[in-house]
């Protein structure tokens, strides 16, 4: 019995565990860029900086609880393709809503507007959950040790909050960034849909990451006139 305990402790505090944790954090950061833009664009629909901050904080607390629940039930969830279909439909609906929403009077915004903070929080939480359906497979593939995956997820949520805060500011500075973000959301939605139809049709992760990098590069390619004048 004692030998098993020491073996367990030796593994959990080994260099191997540290490397796995770093890989999980790195993957969370790479795969969260498109998620961060989507959440930033949703929060920006409140048109009040303080409410935007609160929406991200409260929304991501709920999202964190949902992520942990998803990780703890991942083996069960992966047995049912209906979850991925719902996630794909939800993300593609967000993209459709974004590109079909009329622009405002200044002709600069697609973002749906929300009447209150409590309308935005569930949208942020469920959007993150839909993204997590795509990333949970990657996390479980890297390690099936629950505490490592949960630790990586915890740091990932903190990173996501920081990135979303940056993107809220950048959305006001770059003309194409919001559209670029939603195009990458469409990629994730289509990836989930392809997994439902036929796993063999799903492109490799490096293809998705490369495509997202190219789209985001386009998103940062042009500043708004107000931003250019400020600089």
């Amino acid at each position: 019995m004692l030998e098993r305990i020491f073996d367990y402790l030796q593994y959990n505090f080994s260099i191997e565990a540290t490397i796995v944790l770093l890989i999980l954090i790195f993957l969370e950061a790479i795969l969260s860029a498109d998620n961060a833009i989507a959440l930033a664009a949703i929060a920006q629909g409140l048109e009040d900086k303080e409410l935007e901050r609160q929406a991200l904080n409260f929304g991501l607390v709920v999202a964190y609880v949902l992520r942990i629940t998803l990780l703890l039930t991942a083996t069960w969830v992966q047995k049912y393709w209906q979850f991925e279909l719902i996630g794909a439909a939800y993300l593609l609906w967000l993209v459709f809503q974004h590109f079909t929403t009329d622009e405002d009077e200044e002709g600069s915004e697609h973002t749906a507007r929300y009447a209150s903070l409590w309308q935005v929080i569930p949208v942020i939480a469920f959007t993150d959950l839909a993204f997590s359906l795509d990333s949970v497979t990657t996390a479980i593939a890297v390690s099936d040790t629950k505490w490592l995956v949960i630790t990586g997820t915890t740091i990932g949520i903190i990173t996501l909050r920081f990135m979303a805060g940056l993107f809220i500011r950048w959305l006001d500075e770059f003309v194409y960034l919001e559209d670029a973000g939603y195009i990458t959301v469409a990629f994730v939605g289509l990836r989930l849909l392809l997994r439902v139809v036929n796993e063999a049709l799903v492109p490799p992760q490096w293809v998705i990451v490369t495509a997202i990098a190219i789209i985001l590069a386009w998103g940062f390619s042009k500043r708004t006139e107000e931003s250019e004048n400020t600089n």
Side-chain angles (χ1 to χ4, degrees):
M1 183 66 178
L2 287 175
E3 290 179 356
R4 291 183 180 180
I5 294 175
F6 285 128
D7 288 341
Y8 176 83
L9 292 174
Q10 183 177 2
Y11 169 75
N12 282 297
F13 294 96
S14 67
I15 295 177
E16 180 183 356
T18 303
I19 292 174
V20 170
L21 181 58
L22 291 175
I23 291 173
L24 287 169
I25 294 170
F26 175 76
L27 288 173
E28 283 282 353
I30 294 296
L31 298 175
S32 290
D34 48 356
N35 191 358
I37 296 180
L39 299 188
I42 291 168
Q44 199 178 49
L46 287 166
E47 296 186 316
D48 181 284
K49 295 302 180 184
E50 179 61 23
L51 288 179
E52 288 172 7
R53 184 185 65 80
Q54 291 179 17
L56 286 174
N57 288 341
F58 291 128
L60 287 176
V61 168
V62 178
Y64 176 70
V65 174
L66 294 177
R67 274 203 198 192
I68 297 300
T69 303
L70 178 62
L71 285 171
L72 295 177
T73 60
T75 304
W76 176 76
V77 169
Q78 289 176 333
K79 294 179 181 178
Y80 298 94
W81 55 267
Q82 289 88 346
F83 287 107
E84 292 183 340
L85 180 60
I86 293 171
Y90 177 76
L91 291 177
L92 293 175
W93 174 78
L94 284 180
V95 176
F96 174 80
Q97 184 187 49
H98 168 73
F99 285 107
T100 57
T101 298
D102 293 333
E103 295 180 346
D104 63 11
E105 294 178 357
E106 297 178 357
S108 61
E109 296 289 342
H110 286 291
T111 308
R113 297 302 169 190
Y114 300 96
S116 72
L117 177 68
W118 303 110
Q119 287 183 346
V120 181
I121 290 174
V123 177
I124 288 176
F126 284 109
T127 299
D128 181 76
L129 181 63
F131 272 92
S132 297
L133 286 170
D134 184 56
S135 62
V136 68
T137 304
T138 303
I140 297 300
V142 172
S143 175
D144 58 359
T145 305
K146 295 295 184 183
W147 78 266
L148 277 177
V149 176
I150 290 174
T151 302
T153 297
T154 302
I155 297 174
I157 280 286
I158 296 171
T159 302
L160 180 60
R161 173 62 183 87
F162 173 75
M163 291 174 64
L166 287 177
F167 277 116
I168 279 183
R169 187 182 69 202
W170 290 336
L171 285 170
D172 292 328
E173 296 181 11
F174 295 93
V175 176
Y176 305 128
L177 185 57
E178 186 172 354
D179 285 345
Y182 275 96
I183 292 172
T184 62
V185 171
F187 285 172
V188 177
L190 290 172
R191 176 181 165 86
L192 283 172
L193 189 60
L194 287 175
R195 276 167 52 177
V196 172
V197 175
N198 188 342
E199 186 76 30
L201 297 176
V202 178
Q205 193 70 54
W206 68 268
V207 173
I208 298 295
V209 172
T210 302
I212 289 174
I214 293 172
I215 295 299
L216 291 184
W218 169 71
F220 284 106
S221 65
K222 183 180 179 180
R223 288 181 175 273
T224 60
E225 292 182 6
E226 182 179 345
S227 176
E228 290 177 348
N229 292 335
T230 302
N231 294 332

